[in-house]
Amino acid sequence: MKTKLIGYFSIGYPDVERSMEIADSYVKSGIDIIEIGFPCDNPYLDNEYIGNTLKCAYNNFKDADAVFDAVDELLKRHADTPVILLMYDHIIRDYVGVDKFIERASKSGIKDIILVGSEDESVKDTLISNGFNVSCYITYGLPDNEIESARNSNAFIYLQAKPDGNVRPGCETLAQCVKYLRDKGIKNPIYAGVGISTPDDVKMVAEAKAEGCFIGSALLKKTGDIKQLEEYVKSLKDARDSAEI
């Protein structure tokens, strides 16, 4: 099993056509899965850099239909590349509308959703009942309530890759965290992310036997120079492959 490299970008940033070119460069460079950030007016859970790209993208579209038109164009250009759509709960509720989101996303063929900033479980439950796979986030400290939620998830697990506070005893490393989740009965794919930027980070994720590795800001910042981007992605792939020999 090779750990999949998952590359993030905000559709519509810095403008629609340039965001398409960014996605093109990801696929050309060897990124395995594209994570599409849906424009957001208040991306309060993201870091400043990613948050600013989402806010900029939000201002570049006249409405949610225009965003989905861009998503459809992207999917047409890269029909063989899996995608994950990152959505803020309030954007689905207030900007798109739950029913309209289900209609447009289903028509686009989107199945995998990262839902963040949830007010309650209602949107998540509605999406799942309509055939979407909604990921479950687990912080590095592996709280029991998050593990229980993940056990009932119908999609991949998004595992925080690096500690930023509490650490469960015996789970000081990412590999130990992944093993702990497996021992607790988590069978869904585990994708690790947050703070991943270097080849050593990717190697750590691969050695931990996580099925996927999210790269966000570090990858997006390389898109101004396609040669630099390709070299960077190659270094990540080499690090991953060295861990899986």
Side-chain angles (χ1 to χ4, degrees):
M1 178 207 78
K2 284 190 180 296
T3 300
K4 293 178 171 58
L5 299 181
I6 307 165
Y8 173 88
F9 81 107
S10 300
I11 195 158
Y13 171 81
D15 55 53
V16 177
E17 185 52 40
R18 177 64 184 133
S19 68
M20 295 292 180
E21 292 171 357
I22 288 171
D24 293 345
S25 68
Y26 283 7
V27 174
K28 183 174 183 288
S29 299
I31 290 295
D32 301 301
I33 300 173
I34 297 175
E35 180 190 3
I36 303 171
F38 197 98
C40 181
D41 59 335
N42 181 26
Y44 61 93
L45 292 177
D46 283 281
N47 64 41
E48 182 179 6
Y49 181 81
I50 294 295
N52 285 338
T53 70
L54 286 168
K55 286 188 284 188
C56 174
Y58 183 85
N59 292 325
N60 284 337
F61 289 101
K62 64 179 181 179
D63 54 31
D65 280 319
V67 180
F68 272 107
D69 289 344
V71 171
D72 287 343
E73 174 61 26
L74 173 67
L75 296 176
K76 185 189 303 182
R77 289 164 74 152
H78 301 293
D80 296 328
T81 302
V83 300
I84 300 169
L85 188 63
L86 181 142
M87 296 291 311
Y88 270 80
D89 183 277
H90 75 275
I91 288 294
I92 293 180
R93 293 173 188 264
D94 304 327
Y95 180 63
V96 184
V98 177
D99 290 342
K100 186 172 185 178
F101 176 83
I102 290 170
E103 177 188 353
R104 286 297 311 250
S106 297
K107 185 177 179 181
S108 298
I110 292 169
K111 287 294 184 183
D112 295 310
I113 307 290
I114 298 174
L115 182 66
V116 296
S118 298
E119 299 175 14
D120 53 49
E121 295 290 295
S122 61
V123 170
K124 176 183 176 182
D125 292 343
T126 300
L127 293 178
I128 290 173
S129 68
N130 279 274
F132 293 94
N133 305 318
V134 183
S135 70
C136 185
Y137 187 72
I138 298 183
T139 52
Y140 198 94
L142 307 178
D144 291 336
N145 64 314
E146 292 180 3
I147 293 174
E148 183 59 30
S149 179
R151 194 179 285 115
N152 298 318
S153 173
N154 74 336
F156 67 86
I157 307 305
Y158 194 142
L159 175 62
Q160 184 180 358
K162 295 181 178 181
D164 62 1
N166 294 331
V167 174
R168 182 179 285 271
C171 296
E172 288 78 17
T173 69
L174 182 61
Q176 290 170 326
C177 291
V178 171
K179 183 179 185 303
Y180 184 86
L181 292 177
R182 294 303 185 206
D183 290 344
K184 286 294 183 179
I186 303 297
K187 300 185 184 302
N188 294 14
I190 296 175
Y191 295 169
V194 185
I196 300 298
S197 62
T198 69
D200 283 344
D201 289 335
V202 171
K203 184 177 181 181
M204 173 187 70
V205 174
E207 289 178 339
K209 307 300 183 186
E211 286 90 344
C213 180
F214 286 98
I215 308 105
S217 303
L219 185 66
L220 196 52
K221 289 175 180 177
K222 299 286 194 303
T223 56
D225 184 328
I226 184 62
K227 187 174 187 302
Q228 184 184 52
L229 175 68
E230 290 177 350
E231 291 173 351
Y232 175 64
V233 173
K234 182 179 185 303
S235 72
L236 301 182
K237 293 171 69 176
D238 288 346
R240 174 198 64 188
D241 295 347
S242 71
E244 297 173 344
I245 292 175

